[in-house]
Amino acid sequence: MNNFIKQTKYLILRRITQFAVIFLYFAGNIWGWQILTGNLSSSQLLTIVPLSDPFAVMQMFFAGAAISIDVIIGALIVTSVYAIIGGRVFCSWVCPINPITDLANYLRRKFEFNKITKRQPSTRNIRFWVLGLSFVLSFFLLVPAFEFISPISMVHRGIIFGLGFTWAVVLVIFFFDMFVLKNGWCGHICPLGAFYGIVGKFSLIRVFHDVEKCTECMKCKEVCPEVQVLPMIAKNTGQVSDSACTNCGRCLDVCEEEGALSFSILGKNS
Amino acid sequence: MTERREFILNSIKTAGLVSLAGLTWSAYVDEVTAKTLILRPPGALSEPDFLSTCIKCGMCVEACANRDTKPKNAEPTLLLAKTGSNRPIGTPYFMPRDEPCYMCPEIPCVPVCPTGALDENIVSTKNKLDINKAKMGLAIVDKQNCIAYWGIQCDACYRACPLLDKAITIEYSQNKRTGKHSYLKPIVHANHCTGCGLCELACVTEKPAIFVLPLAIALGKVGDHYIKGWDKEDEKRVKNAKARLNKTDINKKSAIDNLNDAGDLY
């Protein structure tokens, strides 16, 4: 039991934050709780603190909307928090799509799909193109373009305000990640993840690897959803420098040796 | 050499993928934003501005669902467009026949809007919220199917209207068919109607004979060519008139020469 908790500590913590966030928004709508009202696009914390999705606000800017002070402050708050704790912390600790793609990933490993198709046919840089495309389309279509197709807000909004056909979107993403491309949505396409990756370029919390304690089991590389951020495993001591890392902590969970992988503050070398 | 070729080829490949995605993506957004037959909450900006400004947070919907003045057992008026509903996804709207806007005096849905897509200024007089200024749409009477126009007595919409005797008035005229009854015809006045849709809900016909349409669809536009000369307010429009002047060159020949030289008609 102790072992189980040790091996799933961050996973459980993440599921708790993910579902707590959704639940608080849900309660805001259904029972009028005032802890979090709105949804991930824009919301209010305890009726005072505005929070807004900075990526959505940027699309609004490109769409030519007059942007209110409230959303600018909200976007700045969200941006600064993620810039400090790690941009893509959003992806693994908050985003409602994460449990879905995690499940697809888990099943891929379970059924050993990864051994059948080893080569990934596509570059992870596609997401930056999609990010750029979001702005270009927002500019020409005069609406925040990604917000019209974003499965993230669809799922999140769906849970709070009524699902509609969102289940179909969820299934498509699930099957895409499971059968078509490993880490397909979160690791290759999602422009919001790309955006938060840029935001967290200089974030403070980093996974640290101590090569002397490493047993070279390579389990971390097996579970990591952004495996290119772990080039130093079993080679040298150091921190993850690639901001594609979502700080999900799965590598820490599965690590065999206490202290071979740990969370650290930016700048730690030894 | 091969490295450079590979780079160029890969770049073009990605560009191709991205344009394919952009095509489907923009086609969908174009299609769904073209849907203008949708009623927005009070204080909403014009539809194109609303679509670019609304961040789809649903706070107006929440405020509507949790308002104090909600009638018992009433469903929330405002809905958030669901995935696959064929409406601009995530934006708030309402359907009066299911649940009209009850025109709460404190307008809970508007001040919560973080982006100003629902603008307090639109529904305020002298910095005080005033729901009577809302212009969510305009009620239209289908005279062919309104039973009051048949001569059957019904004033359901007139009674339901929160701006009684202002937004809907009853016009009396003689019913020549019977010779001894009156028509009591409902007339909607666009300058007072807020588009709340209480009339649409109250209408007794199977499919309502009075229904709310968005202003952009329900109203025409006169343009600068016609001015109410008897109305001082309306006369001011002359100053900003931007009517097109069509100038045709006048033929310099005399009228008779012009007719004679016109050549054969066919």
Side-chain angles (χ1 to χ4, degrees), chain B residues 22-39:
Chain B
L23 181 72
T24 29
W25 184 350
S26 57
Y28 167 74
V29 174
D30 240 13
E31 196 63 23
V32 85
T33 52
K35 173 134 188 163
T36 47
L37 207 60
I38 185 166
L39 295 174

Side-chain angles (χ1 to χ4, degrees), chain A residues 28-29 37-39 41-42 60 65 68 70-71 129 134 137 141-149 154 157 161 165-166, chain B residues 14 18 22 25-26 28-30 32-33 51-53 55-59 62 66 80 82-83 88-90 114-115:
Chain A
N29 184 45
T37 50
N39 62 29
S41 301
S42 192
M60 283 165 63
S68 70
D70 264 20
V71 281
W129 287 80
S134 306
L137 289 186
L141 298 173
L142 304 176
V143 291
F146 183 65
E147 298 312 301
F148 277 79
I149 60 161
M154 267 185 218
R157 219 169 25 226
F161 297 103
F165 264 92
T166 306
Chain B
T14 317
V18 167
W25 184 350
S26 57
Y28 167 74
V29 174
D30 240 13
V32 85
T33 52
L51 284 177
S52 67
T53 314
I55 201 167
K56 312 178 201 299
C57 65
M59 283 208 263
E62 281 181 22
N66 296 306
L80 216 54
K82 291 176 187 171
T83 315
I89 183 176
T115 62

Side-chain angles (χ1 to χ4, degrees), chain A residues 70-88:
Chain A
D70 264 20
V71 281
I72 291 177
I73 296 174
L76 284 177
I77 292 175
V78 171
T79 310
S80 353
V81 168
Y82 285 127
I84 292 167
I85 63 170
R88 294 199 63 195

Side-chain angles (χ1 to χ4, degrees), chain A residues 2 68 80 131 194 268:
Chain A
N2 241 340
S68 70
S80 353
L131 179 67
K268 184 177 175 185

Side-chain angles (χ1 to χ4, degrees), chain B residues 20-125:
Chain B
L20 186 67
L23 181 72
T24 29
W25 184 350
S26 57
Y28 167 74
V29 174
D30 240 13
E31 196 63 23
V32 85
T33 52
K35 173 134 188 163
T36 47
L37 207 60
I38 185 166
L39 295 174
R40 298 299 184 190
L45 303 177
S46 69
E47 188 65 14
D49 287 341
F50 183 80
L51 284 177
S52 67
T53 314
C54 173
I55 201 167
K56 312 178 201 299
C57 65
M59 283 208 263
C60 49
V61 177
E62 281 181 22
C64 181
N66 296 306
R67 65 193 190 270
D68 304 327
T69 49
K70 191 171 87 171
K72 259 195 186 152
N73 303 324
E75 295 289 315
T77 298
L78 288 180
L79 305 165
L80 216 54
K82 291 176 187 171
T83 315
S85 67
N86 236 344
R87 297 185 176 82
I89 183 176
T91 56
Y93 70 101
F94 71 105
M95 303 212 285
R97 187 66 162 177
D98 298 336
E99 210 60 56
C101 172
Y102 291 98
M103 291 177 58
C104 321
E106 75 278 15
I107 328 183
C109 50
V110 175
V112 291
C113 179
T115 62
L118 303 178
D119 187 355
E120 280 181 61
N121 297 325
I122 295 176
V123 280
S124 298
T125 31

